[in-house]
């Protein structure tokens, strides 16, 4: 992070160390938990970027920057949305200056993917499904007894595990009734998702 001095300007955000502050806030808000604990703290950001700013002024600045980044992340703003959002912030009393809006825009364009990946990872349940393999076997009829009752059997292999670890394999053997039961559950889930999406 760049060393910078001086207080907060009338617009609430000093442009010079803004990019470094944005990077630190992204680590605080969207970084991995262990990285947050070690690398970044609010007090460290104040000491490095705004050493002459009072604790209360820096807290207000930090909350403003967090609010801007959360709004941008929540909407997963594309270029058009970002331009409209920042234009509104420039016009807003106590918002940001045009120079600060430009810094925010450049920063968001380069960090949007990282923020999105972090948000998606937080929404993911653990463990996750890594792969699915399946096949259907039809037992051959016994030629001597004339047994023709060999019903098809489905075999499923699910690789399930936590990110970065070797997955565990779950093997299932299902007859026609078992497959029907699973398909009924999947259909119910699809219908529930469709209702929530309306």
């Amino acid at each position: 992070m760049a060393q910078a001095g001086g207080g907060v300007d009338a617009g609430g955000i000093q442009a010079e160390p803004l990019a470094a502050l944005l990077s630190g806030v992204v680590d605080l808000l969207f970084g991995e938990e262990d990285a947050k604990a070690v690398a970044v703290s609010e007090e460290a950001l104040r000491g490095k970027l705004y050493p002459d700013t009072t604790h209360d002024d820096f807290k207000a600045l930090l909350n403003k920057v967090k609010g801007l980044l959360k709004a941008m992340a929540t909407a997963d703003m594309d270029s058009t949305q970002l331009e409209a959002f920042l234009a509104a912030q420039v016009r807003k009393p106590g918002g940001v200056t045009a120079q600060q809006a430009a810094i925010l825009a450049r920063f968001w364009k380069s960090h949007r993917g990282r923020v999105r990946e972090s948000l998606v990872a937080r929404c993911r349940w653990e463990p996750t499904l890594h792969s699915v393999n399946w096949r259907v076997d039809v037992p051959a009829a016994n030629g001597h007894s004339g047994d023709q009752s060999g019903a098809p059997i489905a075999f499923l292999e699910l690789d399930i595990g936590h990110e970065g670890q070797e997955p565990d394999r779950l093997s299932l053997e299902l007859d026609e009734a078992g497959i029907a039961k699973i398909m009924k559950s999947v259909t119910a889930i699809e219908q529930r998702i469709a209702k929530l999406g309306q």
Side-chain angles (χ1 to χ4, degrees), residues 2-20:
Q3 183 76 19
V8 178
D9 68 11
I13 301 174
Q14 193 177 48
E16 188 176 314
L18 178 58

Side-chain angles (χ1 to χ4, degrees), residues 124-133 157-170:
R124 192 178 301 140
W125 288 345
E126 289 284 354
T128 58
L129 178 63
H130 293 266
S131 67
V132 176
N133 294 309
E157 290 180 345
L158 310 172
D159 289 337
I160 301 170
H162 296 277
E163 286 296 322
Q165 296 179 359
E166 188 68 27
D168 294 322
R169 178 160 289 168
L170 174 64

Side-chain angles (χ1 to χ4, degrees), residues 67-80:
L68 291 169
L69 285 172
K70 283 180 181 179
M72 292 158 55
T74 301
D76 190 25
M77 291 184 185
D78 61 21
S79 296
T80 305

Side-chain angles (χ1 to χ4, degrees), residues 15-138:
E16 188 176 314
L18 178 58
L21 179 62
L22 289 168
S23 182
V25 170
V26 164
D27 287 343
L28 281 170
L29 294 175
F30 308 110
E32 295 177 17
E33 292 301 321
D34 54 349
K36 283 191 221 180
V38 174
V40 180
S41 74
E42 292 179 6
E43 205 50 44
L45 287 173
R46 185 176 80 81
K48 288 183 179 184
L49 301 173
Y50 296 92
D52 299 333
T53 303
T54 68
H55 179 75
D56 290 340
D57 286 346
F58 182 74
K59 191 71 173 168
L61 166 65
L62 193 62
N63 288 337
K64 183 176 191 174
V65 170
K66 282 181 179 180
L68 291 169
L69 285 172
K70 283 180 181 179
M72 292 158 55
T74 301
D76 190 25
M77 291 184 185
D78 61 21
S79 296
T80 305
Q81 293 169 318
L82 180 64
E83 187 178 318
F85 174 72
L86 292 176
Q89 292 299 314
V90 169
R91 289 189 303 270
K92 180 179 169 183
V96 298
T97 66
Q99 180 186 11
Q100 294 162 350
I103 293 168
L104 281 160
R106 279 194 306 274
F107 182 85
W108 182 247
K109 286 174 186 171
S110 64
H111 288 79
R112 177 184 178 199
R114 175 180 159 215
V115 170
R116 186 179 188 290
E117 285 175 18
S118 173
L119 291 173
V120 168
R122 289 180 187 187
C123 295
R124 192 178 301 140
W125 288 345
E126 289 284 354
T128 58
L129 178 63
H130 293 266
S131 67
V132 176
N133 294 309
W134 63 275
R135 73 175 195 271
V136 176
D137 286 350
V138 179

